[in-house]
């Protein structure tokens, strides 16, 4: 990123945060939370619960401002502001944190854990706490909680898919983190990094042939209008967290730090279980709008993607996580 571009983004975010501060004079501290989620998403409703509970418990001394649709910028830009000590947080996946601490990348590994309860076991473990502490040291980021589950990701295309061979030559949109890219490549497709906001147009204009995503995001972005088949591969269990500035967090009174962490964890559980409960309805609505949704035998995809862990240097860590999941 060039210096001029970075300076412009910093200035833009600075103006936005200045406006926020002007609207939150009653609070002693204000945290601005950025997310790519739409307001209709179950996880966003969890963020609203987080806001309400934090403000109530702190008697209004700690204010939370929510920015859906990435209004404060890309995740990477907000993470950069947090590193600089700005009072911002972002709902982010482990892949984007792996550039600072490699271990976080395994959270996006193929078929790592099953469902919310499986992945929650990982992100509330002492092993995960070690990664979070390393992140504070390496990049100056503070994890509030990492139990914000968005669902298992499936493949959306305009043709039937039953095996990795069916994805040969298919340009499939995915985030640019290495673990995501290698997973999609192992599944047989050509991984194509692209911002989420560009996916609908990219499919319309045939810049990409398909996308992999979780049901709430697929429905919220009306991808049933530009794809015809949803194949339930469940290849990535999308878990995200609220990550803020360690420098800002450390300046808070101890009771405020406790409130943020406790309410973030509680709201993450609430939002994730609401997501679980919503999946069947999202799929029903997409079927009613003409989309074909197919359950397949995922064994060929599981076998094809297992080498991803070794390729990215996660072999030993994968064994640790599997052991944790078995206990």
């Amino acid at each position: 990123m060039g210096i001029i571009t970075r300076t412009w983004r910093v200035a833009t975010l600075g103006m936005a945060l200045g406006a926020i501060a002007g609207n939150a004079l009653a609070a002693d501290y204000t945290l601005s939370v950025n997310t790519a989620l739409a307001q209709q998403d179950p996880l966003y409703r969890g963020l609203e619960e987080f806001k309400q509970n934090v403000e109530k418990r702190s008697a209004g001394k700690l204010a939370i401002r929510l920015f859906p649709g990435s209004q404060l910028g890309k995740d990477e830009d907000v993470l950069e502001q947090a590193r600089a000590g700005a009072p911002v947080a972002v709902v982010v996946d482990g892949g984007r944190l792996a550039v600072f601490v490699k271990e976080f990348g395994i959270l996006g590994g193929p078929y790592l854990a099953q469902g919310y309860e499986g992945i929650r076991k990982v992100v509330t473990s002492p092993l995960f706490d070690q990664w979070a502490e390393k992140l504070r040291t390496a990049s100056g980021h503070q994890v509030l909680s990492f139990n914000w589950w968005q669902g298992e990701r499936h493949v959306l295309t305009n043709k039937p898919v039953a095996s990795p061979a069916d994805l040969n030559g298919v340009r499939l949109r995915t985030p640019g983190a290495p673990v995501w890219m290698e997973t999609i490549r192992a599944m047989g497709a050509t991984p194509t990094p692209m911002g989420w906001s560009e996916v609908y147009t990219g499919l319309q204009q045939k810049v990409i042939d398909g996308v992999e995503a979780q049901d709430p995001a697929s429905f919220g972005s009306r991808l049933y209008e530009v794809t015809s088949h949803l194949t339930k591969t469940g290849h990535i269990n999308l878990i995200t967290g609220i990550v803020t500035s360690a420098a800002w967090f450390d300046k808070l009174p101890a009771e405020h730090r406790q409130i943020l962490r406790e309410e973030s964890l509680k709201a993450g559980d609430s939002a994730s279980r609401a997501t679980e409960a919503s999946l069947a309805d999202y799929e029903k609505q997409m079927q009613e709008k003409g989309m074909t949704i197919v359950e397949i035998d995922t064994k060929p995809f599981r076998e094809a993607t297992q080498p991803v862990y070794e390729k990215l240097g996660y072999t030993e860590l994968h064994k640790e996580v599997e052991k944790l999941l078995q206990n």
Side-chain angles (χ1 to χ4, degrees):
M1 184 188 297
I3 294 174
I4 294 175
T5 302
R6 184 182 293 110
T7 303
W8 177 82
R9 286 178 173 170
V10 168
T12 301
L13 184 53
M15 287 188 288
L17 294 177
I20 295 161
N23 293 329
L25 293 176
D28 293 338
Y29 305 94
T30 300
L31 179 64
S32 301
V33 182
N34 191 63
T35 176
L37 298 169
Q39 288 174 279
Q40 299 81 9
D41 194 290
L43 243 67
Y44 187 81
R45 293 195 285 274
L47 290 173
E48 291 177 321
E49 177 185 323
F50 170 61
K51 167 184 166 66
Q52 291 166 4
N53 292 342
V54 166
E55 293 178 350
K56 182 178 179 180
R57 276 187 65 182
S58 68
K61 293 180 180 179
L62 182 54
I64 304 294
R65 297 291 178 263
L66 303 178
F67 292 85
S70 299
Q71 292 175 24
L72 292 184
K74 292 165 55 179
D75 291 352
E76 291 83 355
D77 294 337
V78 181
L79 284 171
E80 195 63 30
Q81 287 305 303
R83 290 188 79 183
V88 295
V90 59
V91 179
V92 69
D93 64 89
R96 289 181 173 85
L97 299 177
V99 296
F100 308 115
V101 174
K102 183 178 178 179
E103 287 90 336
F104 276 91
I106 201 170
L107 294 174
Y111 302 103
L112 181 70
Q114 188 169 2
Y116 176 53
E117 292 305 327
I119 198 69
R120 187 188 189 280
K121 196 169 184 180
V122 178
V123 297
T124 56
S125 69
L127 179 63
F128 179 86
D129 290 343
Q130 293 173 21
W131 307 346
E133 193 56 39
K134 285 180 71 172
L135 187 70
R136 281 180 57 91
T137 303
S139 65
H141 289 116
Q142 171 69 47
V143 174
L144 296 183
S145 69
F146 222 89
N147 61 323
W148 295 73
W149 187 69
Q150 298 190 33
E152 293 178 337
R153 291 172 77 92
H154 306 303
V155 171
L156 292 86
T157 56
N158 282 303
K159 69 169 191 173
V161 172
S163 70
D166 296 324
L167 289 174
N168 184 36
V170 173
R171 295 164 298 178
L172 204 65
R173 182 272 173 186
T174 191
V179 69
W180 298 69
M181 298 276 285
E182 290 303 328
T183 296
I184 298 311
R185 187 173 286 115
M187 288 172 65
T190 301
T192 307
M194 178 182 288
W196 182 253
S197 62
E198 303 166 31
V199 169
Y200 187 98
T201 304
L203 288 163
Q204 266 188 325
Q205 298 177 351
K206 302 190 185 308
V207 175
I208 51 175
D209 306 307
V211 58
E212 52 89 33
Q214 66 279 11
D215 289 343
S218 299
F219 182 81
S221 295
R222 307 191 319 278
L223 296 187
Y224 50 81
E225 296 177 352
V226 284
T227 57
S228 59
H229 289 71
L230 188 156
T231 305
K232 297 186 69 172
T233 50
H235 52 279
I236 289 173
N237 203 345
L238 181 55
I239 192 74
T240 52
I242 302 181
V243 177
T244 188
S245 163
W248 175 81
F249 182 82
D250 289 346
K251 291 176 184 176
L252 295 174
E255 62 269 25
H256 288 1
R257 296 197 299 269
Q258 183 177 358
I259 287 170
L260 281 173
R261 297 196 67 176
E262 289 180 355
E263 295 304 331
S264 176
L265 187 69
K266 289 178 187 175
D269 278 338
S270 176
S272 299
R273 288 177 181 130
T275 296
E276 275 186 314
S278 72
L279 297 179
D281 187 56
Y282 279 127
E283 291 183 3
K284 181 174 180 288
Q285 290 186 67
M286 285 191 280
Q287 283 178 314
E288 289 172 350
K289 294 179 183 298
M291 176 165 270
T292 299
I293 298 180
V294 181
E295 298 265 5
I296 62 165
D297 177 8
T298 60
K299 185 179 178 181
F301 288 99
R302 290 174 181 272
E303 292 176 346
T305 55
Q306 283 311 292
V308 168
Y309 291 103
E310 183 177 358
K311 186 169 185 178
L312 295 179
Y314 287 127
T315 302
E316 293 306 315
L317 184 58
H318 190 207
K319 290 177 182 176
E320 278 191 76
V321 171
E322 287 187 317
K323 184 178 179 180
L324 187 159
L325 289 168
Q326 289 166 4
N327 292 334

